[in-house]
mmCIF file of all heavy atoms in Angstrom:
data_model
loop_
_atom_site.group_PDB
_atom_site.id
_atom_site.type_symbol
_atom_site.label_atom_id
_atom_site.label_comp_id
_atom_site.label_asym_id
_atom_site.label_seq_id
_atom_site.Cartn_x
_atom_site.Cartn_y
_atom_site.Cartn_z
ATOM 1 N N PRO A 301 -4.390 -6.586 -23.174
ATOM 2 C CA PRO A 301 -4.716 -5.168 -22.961
ATOM 3 C C PRO A 301 -3.459 -4.306 -22.977
ATOM 4 O O PRO A 301 -2.365 -4.782 -22.629
ATOM 5 C CB PRO A 301 -5.362 -5.172 -21.569
ATOM 6 C CG PRO A 301 -4.748 -6.353 -20.872
ATOM 7 C CD PRO A 301 -4.551 -7.391 -21.946
ATOM 8 N N PRO A 302 -3.578 -3.039 -23.367
ATOM 9 C CA PRO A 302 -2.422 -2.133 -23.419
ATOM 10 C C PRO A 302 -2.115 -1.537 -22.043
ATOM 11 O O PRO A 302 -2.318 -0.350 -21.798
ATOM 12 C CB PRO A 302 -2.882 -1.054 -24.406
ATOM 13 C CG PRO A 302 -4.369 -1.000 -24.215
ATOM 14 C CD PRO A 302 -4.802 -2.405 -23.908
ATOM 15 N N VAL A 303 -1.641 -2.352 -21.128
ATOM 16 C CA VAL A 303 -1.457 -1.894 -19.751
ATOM 17 C C VAL A 303 0.002 -1.841 -19.308
ATOM 18 O O VAL A 303 0.285 -1.417 -18.189
ATOM 19 C CB VAL A 303 -2.239 -2.798 -18.765
ATOM 20 C CG1 VAL A 303 -3.740 -2.683 -19.013
ATOM 21 C CG2 VAL A 303 -1.792 -4.245 -18.865
ATOM 22 N N MET A 304 0.935 -2.251 -20.154
ATOM 23 C CA MET A 304 2.333 -2.268 -19.723
ATOM 24 C C MET A 304 2.873 -0.846 -19.563
ATOM 25 O O MET A 304 2.713 -0.002 -20.452
ATOM 26 C CB MET A 304 3.189 -3.031 -20.728
ATOM 27 C CG MET A 304 4.670 -3.073 -20.316
ATOM 28 S SD MET A 304 5.630 -4.208 -21.331
ATOM 29 C CE MET A 304 7.291 -3.820 -20.791
ATOM 30 N N PRO A 305 3.516 -0.546 -18.417
ATOM 31 C CA PRO A 305 4.081 0.794 -18.219
ATOM 32 C C PRO A 305 5.394 0.954 -18.981
ATOM 33 O O PRO A 305 6.053 -0.034 -19.330
ATOM 34 C CB PRO A 305 4.334 0.833 -16.700
ATOM 35 C CG PRO A 305 4.573 -0.597 -16.336
ATOM 36 C CD PRO A 305 3.664 -1.399 -17.236
ATOM 37 N N SER A 306 5.775 2.182 -19.218
ATOM 38 C CA SER A 306 7.043 2.458 -19.891
ATOM 39 C C SER A 306 8.178 2.479 -18.873
ATOM 40 O O SER A 306 8.034 3.017 -17.771
ATOM 41 C CB SER A 306 6.974 3.803 -20.610
ATOM 42 O OG SER A 306 8.245 4.166 -21.112
ATOM 43 N N PHE A 307 9.300 1.888 -19.240
ATOM 44 C CA PHE A 307 10.482 1.889 -18.383
ATOM 45 C C PHE A 307 11.511 2.911 -18.864
ATOM 46 O O PHE A 307 12.676 2.856 -18.456
ATOM 47 C CB PHE A 307 11.100 0.491 -18.332
ATOM 48 C CG PHE A 307 10.331 -0.465 -17.480
ATOM 49 C CD1 PHE A 307 9.245 -1.158 -18.002
ATOM 50 C CD2 PHE A 307 10.663 -0.659 -16.155
ATOM 51 C CE1 PHE A 307 8.522 -2.038 -17.216
ATOM 52 C CE2 PHE A 307 9.949 -1.537 -15.357
ATOM 53 C CZ PHE A 307 8.872 -2.231 -15.891
ATOM 54 N N LYS A 308 11.089 3.830 -19.713
ATOM 55 C CA LYS A 308 11.984 4.872 -20.186
ATOM 56 C C LYS A 308 12.421 5.741 -19.016
ATOM 57 O O LYS A 308 11.605 6.262 -18.260
ATOM 58 C CB LYS A 308 11.286 5.728 -21.248
ATOM 59 C CG LYS A 308 12.224 6.695 -21.955
ATOM 60 C CD LYS A 308 11.529 7.378 -23.115
ATOM 61 C CE LYS A 308 12.495 8.269 -23.890
ATOM 62 N NZ LYS A 308 11.835 8.931 -25.046
ATOM 63 N N GLY A 309 13.726 5.909 -18.852
ATOM 64 C CA GLY A 309 14.252 6.674 -17.730
ATOM 65 C C GLY A 309 14.469 5.841 -16.481
ATOM 66 O O GLY A 309 15.083 6.317 -15.522
ATOM 67 N N LEU A 310 13.955 4.608 -16.475
ATOM 68 C CA LEU A 310 14.103 3.732 -15.313
ATOM 69 C C LEU A 310 15.159 2.663 -15.531
ATOM 70 O O LEU A 310 15.667 2.093 -14.567
ATOM 71 C CB LEU A 310 12.767 3.061 -14.978
ATOM 72 C CG LEU A 310 11.597 3.989 -14.654
ATOM 73 C CD1 LEU A 310 10.345 3.170 -14.381
ATOM 74 C CD2 LEU A 310 11.938 4.860 -13.448
ATOM 75 N N LEU A 311 15.471 2.380 -16.794
ATOM 76 C CA LEU A 311 16.464 1.354 -17.114
ATOM 77 C C LEU A 311 17.630 1.978 -17.886
ATOM 78 O O LEU A 311 17.412 2.762 -18.818
ATOM 79 C CB LEU A 311 15.832 0.244 -17.959
ATOM 80 C CG LEU A 311 14.816 -0.673 -17.271
ATOM 81 C CD1 LEU A 311 14.184 -1.616 -18.293
ATOM 82 C CD2 LEU A 311 15.470 -1.466 -16.149
ATOM 83 N N LYS A 312 18.834 1.622 -17.494
ATOM 84 C CA LYS A 312 20.015 2.054 -18.233
ATOM 85 C C LYS A 312 20.234 1.116 -19.416
ATOM 86 O O LYS A 312 19.687 0.001 -19.451
ATOM 87 C CB LYS A 312 21.232 2.043 -17.313
ATOM 88 C CG LYS A 312 21.075 2.945 -16.093
ATOM 89 C CD LYS A 312 22.243 2.786 -15.145
ATOM 90 C CE LYS A 312 22.050 3.632 -13.898
ATOM 91 N NZ LYS A 312 23.138 3.450 -12.908
#
Side-chain angles (χ1 to χ4, degrees):
V303 295
M304 180 170 171
S306 172
F307 285 85
K308 189 172 184 179
L310 301 179
L311 290 174
K312 301 174 183 177

